[in-house]
Amino acid sequence: MGEGERTMSLMELKDISMDFKGRGKEKIGALVGVNLDIKEGEIIAVVGESGCGKTTLGKIIAGVHEPTEGELLFKGKNIKSLNKKEFREYRLGVQMVHQDSYAALNPNKTIFQSLSLPLFQHKLAKNNVEAVNILTEYFEEVGLTPADQFLEKYPHQLSGGQRQRILLARALSMKPKLIVADEPVSMVDVSLRISLLNLMTKMNEKYKISFIYITHDLGTARYIASHGRIVVMYLGRMIETNQIREAIESPKHPYFHALISAVPEANPKLRSEFIKKLPLRSLDMPSLLDLPTGCKFHPRCPYFDDRCIQEEPVLREFKGGRVACHHAEKVLEITSKED
Ligand SMILES: Nc1ncnc2c1ncn2[C@@H]1O[C@H](COP(=O)(O)OP(=O)(O)OP(=O)(O)O)[C@@H](O)[C@H]1O
Ligand code: SF4
Ligand SMILES: [Mg+2]
């Protein structure tokens, strides 16, 4: 892909926030002020611990949730001002592949019945013969051959890896521009993960499909997005973003540094000294219902000071990426000496 094409924006998130109502009607701020520009053909890995807002972000991008605040642009236009044809292009163009492939398929329908339905709904196929032909093409693409054997089956008759491939084929059959893959390999046998990740990178290269790859696993994030970007989330906020190689070799935010140090295979150069220091202050992730003041990481951060307690840092340009930390310069100086 040429550089010119790479700079085209497919989707933009502008100051997106998402509040949910808790059981006692309390407000849960699942996302706060997220800005993200997704380019055509780009792979972005979204990482962070459980509950940091990854799935919420994915669902907002795919149009499953409407954000409480902020704007979502598709090809430069606010999705609220798209005409019927453009809105259809957006809804078909952005597909989501879920973590739980069993829950994502109707257990009482054959794979053909489930996958042909959206083809008919969106007038991509006129009859069964056309639907079989289209699905056969994509089943071959994702390595499910002979396709007719799989089309006749029910979800429970297939393995997790096969169901995940079927979800990918279902997404591909809509000819998407962007696939939001939410932990697509976490429930799949370890031995099959790499082949599924390879399949996604192949789809990215062949069809120029952009991917948002949501995961809590830095190893697979590095694998799939080796030429892409990473977005690191903490308690609903984007706290670091950069090209993934640069980000993993030289993490800027203390939290991301700690995450990487905890996974030696992500970057063997970073030892676990830092993570040992980190829990000295607090092991626990604060609750979204009782957030700390200022920087949401300050109760766990070894570098915090008064400013961190009072003032929430904004995501700012730093060394080719962006980081939300008041003291990124000082932290980098200290951690580069330690590493
Ligand atoms: N429909 C909902 N109603 C109420 N709260 C919700 C809803 N969906 C998500 N949340 C809350 O919003 C926060 C973010 O959830 P989200 O599922 O986006 O996190 P995540 O990063 O995907 O976590 P995980 O790694 O466990 O999948 C959590 O506190 C979650 O409980
Ligand atoms: S702003 Fe302060 S508390 Fe937050 S990560 Fe940076 S140094 Fe730590
Ligand atoms: Mg999730």
Side-chain angles (χ1 to χ4, degrees), residues 50-300:
S50 185
C52 71
K54 303 181 296 295
T55 296
T56 305
L57 181 69
K59 286 185 172 172
I60 286 175
I61 293 169
V64 178
H65 286 323
E66 191 181 333
T68 320
E69 272 176 59
E71 282 183 13
L72 203 61
L73 309 188
F74 180 69
K75 293 188 171 174
K77 259 189 159 180
N78 190 320
I79 58 157
K80 287 189 174 157
S81 59
L82 298 178
N83 63 33
K84 216 174 160 189
K85 186 169 162 260
E86 290 165 334
F87 189 72
R88 181 175 180 271
E89 190 195 345
Y90 158 61
R91 283 313 296 261
L92 288 187
V94 182
Q95 292 290 318
M96 194 153 181
V97 172
H98 295 273
Q99 169 179 25
D100 185 350
S101 59
Y102 194 70
L105 290 162
N106 186 331
N108 303 314
K109 285 192 171 152
T110 65
I111 299 301
F112 177 75
Q113 286 169 335
S114 283
L115 270 62
S116 59
L117 198 67
L119 292 175
F120 295 137
Q121 269 173 351
H122 298 297
K123 300 191 173 56
L124 296 166
K126 283 200 274 307
N127 50 45
N128 279 359
V129 177
E130 276 188 26
V132 167
N133 287 342
I134 291 170
L135 293 174
T136 301
E137 185 191 331
Y138 289 112
F139 275 38
E140 280 168 6
E141 196 77 89
V142 300
L144 294 172
T145 49
D148 49 353
Q149 273 189 19
F150 294 96
L151 288 170
E152 290 158 16
K153 294 230 158 72
Y154 286 87
H156 74 269
Q157 295 173 305
L158 300 166
S159 71
Q162 287 169 338
R163 281 196 300 266
Q164 216 39 279
R165 281 170 195 267
I166 281 166
L167 292 187
L168 210 52
R170 177 170 75 179
L172 288 173
S173 70
M174 298 290 115
K175 299 193 188 322
K177 294 263 183 271
L178 168 68
I179 293 180
V180 178
D182 188 1
E183 310 259 12
V185 297
S186 64
M187 289 169 81
V188 172
D189 203 73
V190 175
S191 61
L192 295 172
R193 285 184 189 168
I194 292 293
S195 65
L196 268 165
L197 296 173
N198 284 343
L199 189 57
M200 287 193 273
T201 49
K202 190 178 113 189
M203 298 300 111
N204 166 255
E205 281 162 16
K206 186 167 174 186
Y207 299 110
K208 313 278 181 279
I209 299 172
S210 308
F211 273 86
I212 299 287
Y213 175 61
I214 293 173
T215 184
H216 55 262
D217 174 18
L218 280 167
T220 60
R222 184 163 81 154
Y223 190 81
I224 193 167
S226 58
H227 301 287
R229 267 196 297 154
I230 192 164
V231 165
V232 187
M233 306 218 21
Y234 188 75
L235 290 170
R237 282 118 176 116
M238 255 172 75
I239 53 138
E240 179 160 351
T241 173
N242 206 340
Q243 295 303 312
I244 193 154
R245 281 195 178 149
E246 167 64 18
I248 286 182
E249 266 160 37
S250 173
K252 308 292 189 291
H253 194 283
Y255 170 67
F256 188 44
H257 196 120
L259 269 189
I260 290 184
S261 309
V263 188
E265 61 271 28
N267 181 349
K269 278 195 293 184
L270 299 183
R271 292 180 215 290
S272 57
E273 292 307 308
F274 189 88
I275 192 81
K276 278 189 212 144
K277 253 191 236 167
L278 193 70
L280 281 180
R281 301 209 56 235
S282 165
L283 266 174
D284 301 324
M285 171 86 84
S287 157
L288 281 178
L289 294 173
D290 187 19
L291 284 175
T293 58
C295 175
K296 304 305 165 233
F297 189 59
H298 88 251
R300 299 170 84 187

Side-chain angles (χ1 to χ4, degrees), residues 253-254 295 297-298 301 303-304 308 313 325-327 331:
H253 194 283
C295 175
F297 189 59
H298 88 251
C301 182
Y303 305 111
F304 88 110
C308 306
C325 170
H326 293 309
H327 304 303
V331 171

